[in-house]
């Protein structure tokens, strides 16, 4: 869908996020946007695939070294 303005786009995103929250709460019993449910969050916005793989590999190694 094409949006006619930035405001319309932002409203659509907000609606989608709220719908997601309701969906996850209904079916899984938690708020998927609450970061307390996650050990690690990686913002890949400005990363290429090699950067993502490298960061994830290091995190996985760190995780298993702690065990």
């Amino acid at each position: 869908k094409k949006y006619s303005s930035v405001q319309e786009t932002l409203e659509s995103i907000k609606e989608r996020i709220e719908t997601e929250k309701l969906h996850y709460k209904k079916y899984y019993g938690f708020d998927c946007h609450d970061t307390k449910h996650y050990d690690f969050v990686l913002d890949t916005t400005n990363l290429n695939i090699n950067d993502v793989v490298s960061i994830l590999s290091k995190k996985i190694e760190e995780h298993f070294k702690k065990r």
Side-chain angles (χ1 to χ4, degrees):
K1 176 181 177 177
K2 289 229 176 201
Y3 299 101
S4 59
S5 68
V6 172
Q7 186 63 33
E8 184 181 358
T9 304
L10 291 174
E11 289 301 319
S12 177
I13 292 168
K14 287 178 186 177
E15 286 176 24
R16 183 179 49 82
I17 289 170
E18 287 306 312
T19 300
E20 259 181 16
K21 283 182 180 181
L22 292 172
H23 175 86
Y24 273 83
K25 188 71 170 172
K26 178 179 178 180
Y27 293 103
Y28 307 110
F30 72 96
D31 177 1
C32 65
H33 292 277
D34 186 345
T35 57
K36 75 178 180 186
H37 299 296
Y38 305 98
D39 294 324
F40 174 69
V41 177
L42 178 60
D43 180 358
T44 61
T45 304
N46 297 310
L47 300 175
N48 64 43
I49 187 67
N50 292 327
D51 293 336
V52 172
V53 169
S54 176
I55 292 167
L56 290 176
S57 295
K58 288 176 187 171
K59 282 292 185 184
I60 291 168
E61 285 177 26
E62 288 173 12
H63 175 77
F64 284 106
K65 282 181 183 176
K66 291 179 183 177
R67 290 182 156 202

